[in-house]
Amino acid sequence: MKRDSRLSGVLHVLLHMAEHDGLVTSEVLARAMGTNPVVVRRVMAGLREQGYVRSEKGHGGGWTLARDLAEITLRDIYDALGRPTLLAMGNRTEAPGCLVEQAVNAALDTAFREAEALLLSRLGGVTLAALSADFHARLTARPGLSRTEIDHAG
């Protein structure tokens, strides 16, 4: 099963945006992500609808954060993305006739619900400000990186 990396990608884009003064074009963000500007615009449109980013069209336009990094949690962004599936594992069949498989499903369902609840709780406890602070600590540990190197390092 293919992994859904949208949350990771959007968080990446938002942190790059936080490092820029003013508007950032979809093209600049796409280069940082190694993707197409159309993909960036599609994802950012959903975040705009939720009030996390703003956009300006036309020459000199682009994207900017609409809220302070300390106000946005990873859970907020996860929710804004439409709550993609967290776990790739699942039951072999959802409504089995076999009593053995019913017992297996019951145990797995409980474990899956608990794992998802824990993950969502953890996502709710981490802000974009915390991610930005981690980035800046890593940046400090690697002196001499230029803005271009940071933007293209992905």
Side-chain angles (χ1 to χ4, degrees):
M1 175 179 262
K2 186 175 189 274
R3 289 181 184 226
D4 186 332
S5 62
R6 286 180 296 163
L7 178 60
S8 175
V10 169
L11 295 172
H12 188 148
V13 164
L14 293 173
L15 288 180
H16 272 288
M17 288 173 60
E19 294 302 311
H20 287 268
D21 293 327
L23 299 170
V24 185
T25 66
S26 298
E27 289 73 19
V28 168
L29 294 173
R31 275 195 305 275
M33 292 297 303
T35 190
N36 188 299
V38 172
V39 173
V40 171
R41 284 190 284 274
R42 187 177 311 127
V43 170
M44 297 301 275
L47 295 180
R48 181 183 54 222
E49 291 170 9
Q50 299 296 317
Y52 298 117
V53 298
R54 287 189 291 268
S55 66
E56 292 185 27
K57 295 182 180 184
H59 183 69
W63 300 95
T64 188
L65 293 169
R67 293 178 46 193
D68 186 88
L69 294 179
E71 297 175 11
I72 306 171
T73 68
L74 277 58
R75 171 71 187 262
D76 294 332
I77 302 304
Y78 167 79
D79 290 340
L81 290 173
R83 306 177 123 227
T85 301
L86 288 173
L87 302 175
M89 293 190 307
N91 295 323
R92 191 172 71 90
T93 50
E94 292 304 316
C98 175
L99 296 179
V100 170
E101 192 165 5
Q102 289 174 14
V104 168
N105 282 7
L108 290 178
D109 286 344
T110 298
F112 294 153
R113 276 194 307 279
E114 290 173 1
E116 285 188 355
L118 177 60
L119 181 54
L120 291 174
S121 174
R122 296 276 171 93
L123 292 176
V126 179
T127 65
L128 291 183
L131 293 184
S132 180
D134 184 14
F135 160 70
H136 282 276
R138 292 168 189 272
L139 182 60
T140 300
R142 298 221 9 227
L145 283 179
S146 70
R147 161 63 76 198
T148 303
E149 290 171 315
I150 292 168
D151 285 347
H152 289 92

